[in-house]
Amino acid sequence: MMNNFKMPVILIGNSFKYEIEATLKLFFHENRFAFSDDISNAVGDNYVVACIQNENEISVEIMLNGVSESLSSVIDTSGEAYDDVAEHELCRLIYRILTKRTGIQPPWGLMTGIRPLKKFTALMRSGLSREQIFEALSKKYEITPEKLNIGYITAANQLPILDIIDSGAVSLYVSIPFCPTRCSYCSFVSHSMDSAVKLMPDYVKMLCREIEITGRIVKETNTKIDTIYFGGGTPTSLSAKELQTIMECVAQNFDIAGIREYSVEAGRPDTINVEKLKVIKELGAKRISVNPQTLNDDVLRAIGRNHSGADALKAFELARKVGFDNINTDLIAGLPTETPDSFRNTLDRITELSPESITVHTLTLKRAANLFQNAVENTDNPASEMVRYSIVKLLSENYLPYYMYRQKNTIDNLENIGYARKGFESYYNIFIMDETQTILGVGCAASTKLVYPDGRISRIHNYKFPYEYIRHFDTLMKKKEEINECLKKISFLRQK
Ligand code: SF4
């Protein structure tokens, strides 16, 4: 189907648009859908009709390339909530037809959503055995045995950390949304240093003001800081002096002596030097990331990076020399022009370096990425083979998978997995995916997630662009007054 074609999706007797769209996207990631409740839109060679009649009669018709196929069933709603059962059954029928018609077998079956581990964890907590969990999840979602296995192992490694999350404490995220150049697969609002350089003095000034304001609220409400994470973008795109100013500001405004974890995503190897590494270390961060994504020079060129695989290895060694004993490296499976062999070669060389943690992402193609707009072929990408190799290799090297998330439009509907040596799991990576701890985001493009003691979650998004962040800083701080109210409630409970 053409990229700009909007497939008619007609919902009769239901309004489960979100989940139905997520299920359709398992098969048609680049397509868009035109939802309606008007059956007269069921025309042409491609459309979907998802219907509920008399409360429990479910039927789906899918017309694909001029050939129609239908399935129907009757649901029993005596157990679970009606909406959950009806929605799941509609999606299941759509899934059944589309796996048959397209030949695509999504590895996670019809489980959508970015947090697959939640289902594993809930079943583990209810006391089910491994076999019972596999049976329940394969029956409901048709997940492949391979993914059931890695999901289970990851959830089991994560569970003890989830149990020690302190919901009375908060974490701090410092956003540095700048990079030396834009990678072709990037959909993040990262700004190239060339365009941002003029704004940088003002940006650093405003970011420090926001850190001071946030630090004051944290102090006044007697809130404990649990972890700190500098992310981006590429925080080491800043000069050593700028990094120092921001990190000193964090140290002056937050009690970093008692925190559980302090990470700085150094990120792109071409931005790392001794001076910056020393600043990061001296100002309290113990964990850094050096993220080559691949060591294959052709691939690095294809994604628009200005560094070589050898530069990434040098940056890693430099970080060791400066004294970092907790280094993460990020890799991506499925980058353009990468082959299973070259991916294997990268992963083998990375494991020889023995970083404390390795995160294996799968390429995601979002509309905002240049790669997507240039319509680089996304079919027949061997990402699955690479991910399969990474699981086997990393488990055999004693890396424990401990967090996992999925994103929309990922090649082959695969996942991202964080592996670590025992004791080097990143708490922040787990906290960001879990919904139990408040995360205070400062800086342009950061978002704040306030988790109230009653479980309610409220999100506040900072401006995406540096000039907006600088110009409308006071308006933003007004919007963020809610932080005070939330932290007071958290603190009140903590002291009870
Ligand atoms: S380093 Fe990351 S944030 Fe920066 S351009 Fe590349 S993908 Fe985007």
Side-chain angles (χ1 to χ4, degrees):
M1 267 173 279
M2 310 254 306
N3 268 354
N4 56 2
F5 171 74
K6 283 196 176 182
M7 189 182 202
V9 182
I10 298 102
L11 305 183
I12 310 284
N14 73 90
S15 53
F16 300 129
K17 175 176 179 278
Y18 183 81
E19 211 43 44
I20 287 177
E21 182 168 15
T23 306
L24 291 169
K25 279 196 165 275
L26 293 173
F27 302 90
F28 311 111
H29 359 193
E30 291 171 24
N31 271 90
R32 297 198 167 181
F33 306 96
F35 281 86
S36 74
D37 56 5
D38 183 353
I39 194 66
S40 69
N41 289 328
V43 285
D45 283 350
N46 296 288
Y47 62 80
V48 175
V49 181
C51 173
I52 302 182
Q53 279 179 313
N54 304 323
E55 289 256 305
N56 63 354
E57 293 169 24
I58 310 279
S59 64
V60 168
E61 184 206 351
I62 299 184
M63 175 73 81
L64 206 54
N65 300 326
V67 179
S68 160
E69 185 145 352
S70 302
L71 280 177
S72 62
S73 67
V74 176
I75 51 169
D76 172 8
T77 57
S78 51
E80 294 171 66
Y82 170 79
D83 275 9
D84 292 348
V85 177
E87 180 183 67
H88 183 74
E89 186 60 8
L90 274 173
C91 293
R92 197 180 71 84
L93 297 185
I94 292 171
Y95 182 85
R96 276 276 156 94
I97 296 174
L98 289 177
T99 46
K100 185 175 156 213
R101 291 295 306 281
T102 62
I104 296 170
Q105 289 286 343
W108 288 94
L110 69 154
M111 183 190 268
T112 57
I114 61 168
R115 299 180 180 85
L117 295 192
K118 279 210 155 184
K119 309 271 186 216
F120 288 87
T121 308
L123 296 175
M124 280 174 179
R125 288 199 197 283
S126 73
L128 294 191
S129 68
R130 180 180 186 274
E131 286 67 33
Q132 289 168 321
I133 293 172
F134 277 32
E135 196 190 329
L137 294 179
S138 68
K139 191 169 160 211
K140 184 160 185 182
Y141 298 106
E142 306 188 20
I143 302 172
T144 59
E146 191 185 18
K147 295 304 173 197
L148 281 173
N149 198 40
I150 191 66
Y152 182 85
I153 301 173
T154 312
N157 288 330
Q158 188 180 90
L159 199 59
I161 300 175
L162 289 179
D163 286 342
I164 56 164
I165 292 185
D166 182 353
S167 55
V170 301
S171 286
L172 176 72
Y173 178 79
V174 182
S175 171
I176 314 288
F178 307 105
C179 290
T181 55
R182 192 171 168 86
C183 304
S184 64
Y185 59 86
C186 184
S187 60
F188 178 68
V189 280
S190 172
H191 310 283
S192 82
M193 285 304 282
D194 287 352
S195 63
V197 83
K198 273 199 248 128
L199 292 173
M200 204 49 79
D202 283 343
Y203 182 70
V204 172
K205 204 163 90 193
M206 287 319 200
L207 176 57
C208 287
R209 261 187 72 195
E210 190 177 12
I211 291 168
E212 278 163 30
I213 292 168
T214 311
R216 195 164 54 237
I217 299 173
V218 165
K219 257 187 214 134
E220 281 169 6
T221 53
N222 208 10
T223 304
K224 185 173 174 291
I225 279 282
D226 212 358
T227 73
I228 299 178
Y229 194 98
F230 271 58
T234 305
T236 39
S237 301
L238 301 178
S239 68
K241 182 82 201 79
E242 287 159 347
L243 256 182
Q244 183 180 356
T245 304
I246 299 166
M247 289 186 75
E248 275 175 356
C249 184
V250 169
Q252 281 155 11
N253 289 282
F254 291 89
D255 176 14
I256 62 169
I259 59 173
R260 229 197 278 248
E261 179 179 289
Y262 192 163
S263 301
V264 173
E265 216 175 292
R268 302 256 292 247
D270 46 341
T271 62
I272 298 173
N273 63 31
V274 179
E275 216 187 340
K276 293 180 199 177
L277 289 170
K278 282 188 175 159
V279 165
I280 294 170
K281 189 149 194 304
E282 277 158 20
L283 287 166
K286 298 208 164 31
R287 179 180 185 273
I288 59 165
S289 277
V290 177
N291 298 333
Q293 313 303 7
T294 175
L295 294 179
N296 182 330
D297 290 345
D298 293 337
V299 180
L300 285 166
R301 256 191 305 277
I303 62 174
R305 287 214 172 184
N306 283 339
H307 65 85
S308 64
D311 292 336
L313 299 177
K314 266 190 232 143
F316 187 94
E317 295 300 348
L318 204 58
R320 283 286 192 236
K321 247 193 220 149
V322 171
F324 282 96
D325 54 13
N326 188 357
I327 307 180
N328 172 69
T329 54
D330 274 6
L331 300 179
I332 299 179
L335 287 172
T337 76
E338 189 89 272
T339 66
D341 273 349
S342 66
F343 179 82
R344 254 194 294 276
N345 176 42
T346 289
L347 189 64
D348 292 355
R349 287 164 71 198
I350 290 291
T351 51
E352 276 163 24
L353 293 176
S354 201
E356 283 60 38
S357 54
I358 299 177
T359 311
V360 181
H361 298 265
T362 306
L363 183 67
T364 293
L365 281 186
K366 297 202 177 151
R367 283 175 196 275
N370 295 339
L371 196 58
F372 188 100
Q373 281 153 15
N374 294 340
V376 166
E377 268 306 302
N378 173 20
T379 49
D380 300 327
N381 187 310
S384 294
E385 198 179 328
M386 300 177 195
V387 169
R388 198 166 294 130
Y389 178 73
S390 66
I391 293 172
V392 173
K393 171 75 179 171
L394 292 172
L395 291 180
S396 75
E397 295 278 347
N398 291 326
Y399 283 98
L400 307 173
Y402 74 98
Y403 84 98
M404 176 190 287
Y405 65 99
R406 295 171 64 207
Q407 287 168 289
K408 281 185 189 159
N409 302 326
T410 298
I411 305 280
D412 290 346
N413 295 301
L414 290 161
E415 65 287 333
N416 306 311
I417 304 181
Y419 299 82
R421 300 267 194 230
K422 185 132 195 70
F424 287 96
E425 301 89 344
S426 159
Y427 291 99
Y428 180 83
N429 283 336
I430 294 178
F431 296 173
I432 193 82
M433 294 314 293
D434 193 72
E435 308 264 57
T436 44
Q437 192 180 81
T438 286
I439 304 210
L440 304 174
V442 294
C444 169
S447 58
T448 291
K449 177 173 71 179
L450 299 173
V451 184
Y452 283 86
D454 62 6
R456 183 166 61 89
I457 293 179
S458 170
R459 288 187 164 80
I460 307 169
H461 300 284
N462 283 13
Y463 293 108
K464 276 189 183 168
F465 297 97
Y467 72 89
E468 285 176 297
Y469 175 76
I470 294 165
R471 202 175 299 156
H472 304 299
F473 185 82
D474 292 335
T475 315
L476 176 65
M477 291 308 108
K478 270 226 111 18
K479 211 168 93 180
K480 294 187 87 170
E481 278 171 4
E482 187 192 345
I483 295 175
N484 207 334
E485 180 204 333
C486 177
L487 295 198
K488 272 188 196 152
K489 288 189 175 152
I490 294 174
S491 176
F492 176 71
L493 270 192
R494 195 182 170 85
Q495 283 156 21
K496 259 171 72 171

